Amino acid sequence: MPTSTVEDYLKQILLAQQRAAGKLVPTGQIAAELKVAPGTATAMVKTLADSGLVEHQPYSGARLTDSGRQLALHVLRRHRLVELFLVKVMGMDWSEVHGEAEQLEHVISDRLLVRMDEMLGFPAVDPHGDPIPDASGVVADKQLPTLLACALDASMQIERVADQDAAFLRFLDSQGLTPGSTVVVRGREPAAETVTIEVEERGGQVSLSFAAAAKIMVAALREEGSQQEP
């Protein structure tokens, strides 16, 4: 059975590969994300390569092998199901579950995971809108525009928030900018690097920095009365 450290490395490499379309992940980036020394990350990546879990190219980086990816997806599945369980069943706030899930993802059994999945109704996403890999390791990771790049003056639904920082999530919650909320981008000001957003449920507007807007992914809402094409 892999150690929690091995699982952490594999999950981090998987997440980095998802953001970079499967490219090699520099060991320096892995070290920064896991908050370890570069030499420590390099040594662990070499160990993972010896175990057949990653492909390592010195001075370039690493990527997961098929077996490493399957294991990483299983860890990611546990993490995201635990987050949703803590919110839906335990009543915890979405801003505080990431750290708890980081601990619990290494210790819950597969039997418990199956039961949690059933209790939650086999969910597709976690509280932040991140896709939950299914039991076979398939993950539906849709490509969505952000508030920084979506159409202006069009109704959008927030689908996903790509930041687990507790303070940032609490701020979004206070502004009504959570998954499922309907918003309209009314303007972008490059000089000030701000985005003006109307939150339809609250009837007000909020200003976000470009950096914050780039972390919120949205999908266009179909207009009332429109029909799907055959």
Side-chain angles (χ1 to χ4, degrees):
M1 182 175 179
T3 66
S4 60
T5 300
V6 167
E7 291 185 339
D8 284 340
Y9 271 81
L10 295 178
K11 185 180 71 171
Q12 188 54 55
I13 295 171
L14 172 66
L15 293 172
Q17 284 187 206
Q18 289 177 341
R19 293 191 295 267
K23 295 180 180 179
L24 286 168
V25 182
T27 53
Q29 179 181 339
I30 299 170
E33 293 288 348
L34 293 174
K35 297 179 173 59
V36 299
T40 300
T42 299
M44 176 55 74
V45 166
K46 289 179 179 178
T47 298
L48 295 175
D50 291 341
S51 300
L53 297 172
V54 304
E55 298 174 4
H56 178 225
Q57 295 183 17
Y59 309 108
S60 295
R63 68 165 59 91
L64 298 174
T65 61
D66 288 343
S67 58
R69 185 173 186 276
Q70 284 303 115
L71 181 52
L73 284 167
H74 187 56
V75 179
L76 191 63
R77 170 175 166 78
R78 293 201 305 258
H79 179 96
R80 291 177 175 173
L81 274 174
V82 167
E83 285 191 332
L84 190 60
F85 184 85
L86 292 175
V87 170
K88 295 293 187 181
V89 179
M90 304 301 292
M92 294 180 68
D93 189 80
W94 75 322
S95 67
E96 60 184 346
V97 296
H98 179 70
E100 297 292 339
E102 286 284 288
Q103 302 297 318
L104 293 172
E105 69 186 32
H106 302 299
V107 297
I108 64 171
S109 67
D110 289 343
R111 180 181 179 184
L112 178 57
L113 191 71
V114 169
R115 181 62 182 137
M116 289 168 59
D117 196 21
E118 292 173 347
M119 286 185 65
L120 293 168
F122 307 102
V125 297
D126 74 3
H128 313 101
D130 292 323
I132 299 173
D134 67 18
S136 61
V138 176
V139 56
D141 199 0
K142 296 185 293 184
Q143 297 299 311
L144 297 168
T146 69
L147 290 176
L148 188 59
C150 68
L152 294 175
D153 300 317
S155 291
M156 298 281 174
Q157 180 171 286
I158 296 177
E159 296 283 334
R160 185 177 182 184
V161 176
D163 191 328
Q164 307 298 314
D165 179 74
F168 180 64
L169 294 177
R170 286 193 295 269
F171 167 75
L172 294 185
D173 198 34
S174 71
Q175 301 300 315
L177 298 172
T178 56
S181 298
T182 303
V183 298
V184 179
V185 176
R186 291 305 186 189
R188 299 186 181 97
E189 180 48 67
E193 296 188 345
T194 57
V195 180
T196 301
I197 300 153
E198 180 179 314
V199 185
E200 292 195 354
E201 284 85 357
R202 300 200 175 190
Q205 292 187 345
V206 60
S207 181
L208 294 181
S209 68
F210 276 13
K215 298 174 182 178
I216 303 173
M217 304 176 198
V218 295
L221 287 178
R222 193 184 305 277
E223 295 183 2
E224 292 186 13
S226 66
Q227 299 186 12
Q228 292 181 340
E229 296 182 5

